């Protein structure tokens, strides 16, 4: 038996050597293969891949799951301008290939994390209860995103070698299972500060917390609070309030150093780990079909409140002079005046400096002129393909270079948000405003601390933050409960910029920003998609789910509701 385990360890060492070679530049993880001996073999070499694959996967899911779906459902980014290959209806209309890419990403990710878990579990080749605890927390991050994207998914039986076709679990059960795992992890960590000495220390191989177990513990408790508040108030919820009370009694993320941000690799191929640049630059950059703009909802919230994050998130509109000519005949000619008026109203409502020559109701052409690099205008979400020629990208804000710079061109590549200190403060304020027993403290002070930490994280100057905090938008000391929750939700949503899966979940649970949650109705302007303009509540299951485990999937659909994007998930039902 001892010899058999030795053989397994030897195999694991060889795999570790390969993995180390595949992940060079991740905090000097790439090791000289000749330097890894049996005494140095460790599960530390198996944590890096499941960490970066969850938040910065390869090009296929980064583009199709995150950018096409989550980032746009969250209302962060928009397609559908004149350069874009697609209207902004993309994603809202079911597409089998893009949906399958998302499902396959989530379903396929499990094996990478499960490998680390089995290696570190009791009896594993690299048994280490503290590393296993870290794995449980990553598992919680993964399953929270997975279930909030699709609803019921395989959970309790996933990874069981004796079960080929795992059942789909209800979301309530998944949330409770995640919280149980987080509690287990926090208990195991206790007062420990690292997973071991020497090769047993995760150290720099840990891309989230650099091996700091107390930071992992605070992360776990903050994730527990997030999930508890997501579940709170849903039909049948029998655990959330108690979980919130427990969270308030234990440390949460609280300092700037506590932000859990994943540094992205600056060299590795996009086919291993991608960034926004993989879509932006590889398709031609600013004026390409693969480029995108930033949404009206985001820009309005930033610009109208003098938010210093505005210039951290976006560039001003490029501007220019453009002539729009009325079609000769047909429905497009009939609707041309309405669409020109719509564009005029969007620019006017944004307070943009522009001129319009001509009258769309009497003339056959109009000319718009906007000065360069002066205006901050967001593009409305979900515009249809017919209005696309009028939606000049030059009229709207685009992401700053920080988000779309090529790998290797800077050492300041943007970080992926895992869980932030600002969110911990916003979650506490939310729980207090909702009146949950055990949620104690000054909600307004916590809310303001959340704003400050968000702005600091995004690199805003201290003086600009102080000025912002003097405004009514930065206070929940007065107002109705609904007004206070709207402010909290909107700040959480802005703070999660670029982390679309979380931003999308915030809108679904809290209903804000309302401009997103309310959906769209005017088919002359907007693309109503497969769900008649309502806000998407989930993604449909991939075809692989049907072909591999159809019986269990159909049982889940019977419980959850039709496999459509407008079927509300358990956590977001009133």
């Amino acid at each position: 038996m001892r010899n058999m385990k030795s053989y397994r360890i030897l195999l694991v060492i060889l795999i570790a050597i390969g993995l180390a070679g595949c992940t060079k530049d991740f905090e000097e993880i790439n090791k000289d293969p000749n330097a890894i001996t049996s005494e140095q073999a460790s599960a530390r070499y198996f944590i890096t891949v499941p960490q970066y694959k969850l938040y910065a996967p390869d090009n296929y899911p980064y583009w199709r799951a995150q950018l096409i779906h989550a980032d746009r459902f969250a209302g962060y980014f928009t397609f559908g301008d004149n350069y874009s290959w697609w209207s902004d209806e993309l994603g809202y209309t079911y597409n089998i290939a893009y949906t399958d890419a998302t499902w396959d990403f989530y379903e396929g990710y499990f094996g990478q994390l499960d490998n680390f878990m089995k290696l570190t579990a009791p009896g594993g080749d690299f048994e280490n209860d503290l590393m296993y605890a870290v794995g449980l927390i990553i598992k919680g991050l993964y399953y929270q995103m997975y279930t909030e994207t699709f609803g019921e998914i395989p959970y309790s039986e996933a990874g069981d070698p004796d079960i080929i076709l795992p059942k789909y679990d209800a979301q309530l059960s998944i949330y409770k299972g995640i919280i149980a795992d987080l509690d287990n992890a926090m208990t195991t960590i206790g007062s420990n500060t690292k997973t071991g000495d020497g090769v047993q220390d995760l150290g720099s191989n840990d891309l989230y917390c650099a091996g700091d177990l107390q930071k992992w513990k605070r992360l776990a408790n903050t994730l527990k609070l997030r999930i508890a508040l997501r579940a709170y108030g849903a039909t049948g919820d029998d655990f959330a309030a108690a979980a919130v009370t427990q969270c308030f009694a234990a440390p949460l993320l609280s300092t700037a150093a506590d932000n859990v941000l994943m540094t992205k690799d600056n060299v590795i191929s996009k086919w291993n780990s991608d960034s926004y640049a993989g879509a932006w630059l590889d398709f031609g950059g600013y004026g390409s079909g693969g480029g995108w703009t930033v949404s009206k909802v985001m820009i309005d919230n930033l610009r109208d409140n003098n938010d210093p994050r505005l210039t951290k998130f976006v560039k001003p509109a490029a501007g220019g002079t453009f002539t729009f000519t009325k079609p000769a005949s047909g429905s497009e000619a009939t609707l041309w005046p309405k669409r020109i008026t719509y564009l005029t109203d969007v620019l006017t409502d944004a307070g943009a400096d522009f001129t319009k020559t001509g009258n769309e109701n009497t003339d056959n052409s109009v000319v718009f002129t906007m000065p360069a690099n002066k205006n901050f205008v967001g593009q409305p979400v979900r515009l249809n393909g017919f209005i696309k020629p009028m939606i000049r990208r030059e009229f709207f804000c685009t992401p700053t270079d920080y988000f779309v710079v090529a790998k290797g061109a800077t050492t300041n590549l943007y970080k992926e948000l895992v869980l932030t200190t600002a969110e911990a403060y916003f979650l506490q304020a939310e729980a207090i405003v909702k009146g949950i027993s055990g949620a104690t403290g000054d909600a307004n002070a916590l809310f303001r601390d959340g704003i400050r930490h968000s702005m600091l994280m995004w690199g805003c100057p201290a003086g600009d933050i102080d000025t912002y905090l003097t405004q009514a938008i930065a206070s929940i000391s007065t107002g109705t409960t609904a007004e206070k929750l709207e402010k909290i939700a909107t700040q959480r949503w802005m703070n999660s910029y670029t982390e679309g899966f979380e931003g999308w979940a915030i809108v679904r649970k809290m209903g804000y920003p309302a401009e997103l949650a309310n959906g769209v109705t005017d088919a002359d302007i907007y693309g109503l998609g497969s769900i008649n303009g309502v806000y998407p509540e989930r993604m449909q299951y991939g075809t692989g789910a049907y072909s591999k485990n159809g019986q269990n999937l159909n049982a889940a659909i019977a419980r959850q509701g039709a496999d459509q994007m407008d079927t509300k998930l358990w956590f977001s039902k009133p």
Side-chain angles (χ1 to χ4, degrees):
M1 191 72 178
R2 180 183 295 272
N3 288 338
M4 182 61 71
K5 187 166 185 177
S6 297
Y7 285 131
R8 290 202 306 270
I9 292 177
L10 177 59
L11 176 60
V12 167
I13 293 170
L14 293 174
I15 295 171
I17 292 171
L19 287 176
C22 290
T23 58
K24 76 174 190 175
D25 263 27
F26 270 120
E27 301 289 335
E28 299 181 348
I29 288 167
N30 190 27
K31 307 291 182 181
D32 176 2
N34 296 321
I36 299 179
T37 66
S38 59
E39 290 77 19
Q40 292 175 316
S42 166
R44 67 183 289 179
Y45 300 111
F46 290 84
I47 192 172
T48 309
V49 172
Q51 284 188 323
Y52 78 74
K53 285 292 188 181
L54 185 57
Y55 287 94
D58 63 81
N59 177 265
Y60 211 57
Y62 206 100
W63 172 241
R64 295 188 169 196
Q66 292 178 246
L67 182 56
I68 288 179
H69 288 106
D71 288 340
R72 292 176 52 257
F73 289 173
Y76 295 149
F77 300 137
T78 46
F79 296 157
D81 62 77
N82 67 296
Y83 293 111
S84 181
W85 288 324
W86 313 278
S87 77
D88 206 41
E89 194 171 7
L90 181 74
Y92 297 92
T93 298
Y94 171 72
N95 179 292
I96 188 171
Y98 296 161
T99 299
D100 280 356
T102 308
W103 174 262
D104 293 346
F105 159 61
Y106 275 117
E107 183 186 47
Y109 171 83
F110 175 79
Q112 299 171 85
L113 177 61
D114 191 51
N115 183 47
F116 176 78
M117 302 292 290
K118 284 183 167 62
L119 288 171
T120 56
D125 288 331
F126 296 126
E127 180 178 347
N128 183 312
D129 62 337
L130 294 171
M131 288 189 186
Y132 186 79
V134 168
L136 287 176
I137 300 169
I138 300 173
K139 179 183 175 184
L141 290 165
Y142 160 58
Y143 271 109
Q144 181 229 324
M145 287 193 286
Y146 193 0
T147 186
E148 289 175 1
T149 301
F150 296 100
E152 294 199 14
I153 51 173
Y155 174 74
S156 60
E157 296 179 350
D160 188 328
D162 297 323
I163 299 177
I164 299 175
L165 300 175
K167 69 177 181 179
Y168 281 60
D169 294 274
Q171 193 166 74
L172 182 152
S173 299
I174 295 169
Y175 280 159
K176 292 172 78 170
I178 294 172
I179 286 179
D181 280 346
L182 295 174
D183 286 340
N184 183 8
M186 289 187 283
T187 298
T188 299
I189 290 171
S191 60
N192 287 287
T193 58
K194 58 183 180 178
T195 54
D197 295 321
V199 75
Q200 296 304 318
D201 181 7
L202 286 176
S204 61
N205 291 63
D206 171 11
L207 303 179
Y208 296 175
C209 300
D212 182 345
L213 285 185
Q214 291 306 303
K215 185 172 180 178
W216 272 107
K217 193 173 179 180
R218 294 189 292 275
L219 165 58
N221 195 41
T222 306
L223 177 60
K224 177 179 175 178
L225 182 57
R226 173 198 277 179
I227 292 170
L229 284 172
R230 197 84 88 222
Y232 184 74
T235 302
D237 162 38
D238 59 357
F239 68 93
V244 169
T245 298
Q246 294 162 7
C247 291
F248 270 72
L252 296 153
L253 300 175
S254 63
T255 68
D258 276 349
N259 282 311
V260 185
L261 310 174
M262 192 190 83
T263 299
K264 297 174 70 65
D265 183 87
N266 208 15
V267 177
I268 196 169
S269 166
K270 71 175 185 177
W271 300 112
N272 195 329
S273 177
D274 205 5
S275 66
Y276 286 127
W280 183 272
L281 297 177
D282 290 359
F283 290 124
Y286 174 83
S288 75
W292 58 90
T293 60
V294 178
S295 80
K296 176 181 181 296
V297 190
M298 176 60 75
I299 301 302
D300 286 355
N301 275 286
L302 296 169
R303 182 201 60 238
D304 293 350
N305 297 298
N306 298 310
D307 194 314
R309 288 170 291 194
L310 176 63
T311 54
K312 302 298 180 181
F313 288 2
V314 301
K315 293 179 177 181
T321 297
F322 304 97
T323 300
F324 301 104
T325 302
K326 184 177 182 178
S329 61
S331 61
E332 296 309 295
T334 302
L335 291 171
W336 186 79
K338 177 179 180 178
R339 290 170 177 159
I340 292 293
T341 299
Y342 176 81
L343 173 60
T344 305
D345 290 345
V346 167
L347 298 179
T348 301
D349 291 347
D353 178 6
F354 77 102
T355 60
K356 184 177 75 172
T357 303
N359 185 317
E360 60 268 32
N361 295 307
T362 57
D363 299 328
N364 289 325
S365 67
V366 294
V367 179
F368 284 76
T369 299
M370 177 185 284
N373 304 316
K374 180 179 180 180
N375 293 291
F376 288 92
V377 184
Q379 182 182 315
V381 301
R382 303 179 71 169
L383 297 178
N384 66 33
F386 301 107
I387 198 173
K388 195 156 78 80
M390 303 172 194
I391 306 301
R392 296 290 315 192
R393 187 172 294 175
E394 292 88 350
F395 290 157
F396 303 103
C397 292
T398 53
T400 60
D401 292 342
Y402 177 64
F403 297 105
V404 295
V405 66
K407 286 186 176 184
T410 177
T411 58
N412 188 33
L413 201 63
Y414 75 95
K415 294 177 173 63
E416 297 287 351
L417 309 185
V418 178
L419 219 162
T420 69
T421 295
E423 182 171 356
Y425 284 107
F426 292 139
L427 291 170
Q428 292 173 80
E430 178 185 336
I432 294 167
V433 169
K434 287 182 174 178
I436 300 174
S437 176
T440 59
D442 184 335
N444 188 52
L446 290 163
F447 174 65
R448 290 166 62 80
D449 282 343
I451 294 173
R452 183 178 296 279
H453 276 283
S454 177
M455 292 182 174
L456 286 171
M457 180 187 74
W458 286 110
C460 301
D464 292 346
I465 299 173
D466 291 338
T467 299
Y468 182 87
L469 289 171
T470 64
Q471 301 178 99
I473 194 69
S475 174
I476 56 170
S477 59
T478 61
T480 65
T481 296
E483 289 169 341
K484 293 176 181 179
L485 290 175
E486 179 177 6
K487 287 183 177 181
I488 294 169
T490 303
Q491 289 291 342
R492 281 186 63 194
W493 173 77
M494 289 192 292
N495 178 67
S496 296
Y497 180 66
T498 70
E499 182 40 51
F501 288 107
E502 182 59 23
W504 178 28
I506 291 167
V507 179
R508 286 178 286 166
K509 177 64 179 182
M510 302 191 73
Y512 302 109
E515 188 174 341
L516 295 172
N518 292 341
V520 295
T521 57
D522 187 347
D524 293 340
I525 304 294
Y526 302 102
L528 305 187
S530 302
I531 48 178
N532 199 32
V534 302
Y535 190 69
E537 297 288 340
R538 60 182 293 273
M539 288 186 64
Q540 293 181 216
Y541 292 111
T543 56
Y546 285 92
S547 63
K548 296 176 184 177
N549 194 5
Q551 184 173 348
N552 283 322
L553 172 59
N554 286 324
I557 293 170
R559 292 187 298 269
Q560 179 171 274
D563 185 17
Q564 298 173 175
M565 288 189 288
D566 58 347
T567 295
K568 281 184 173 287
L569 300 182
W570 175 78
F571 82 84
S572 64
K573 290 179 180 178

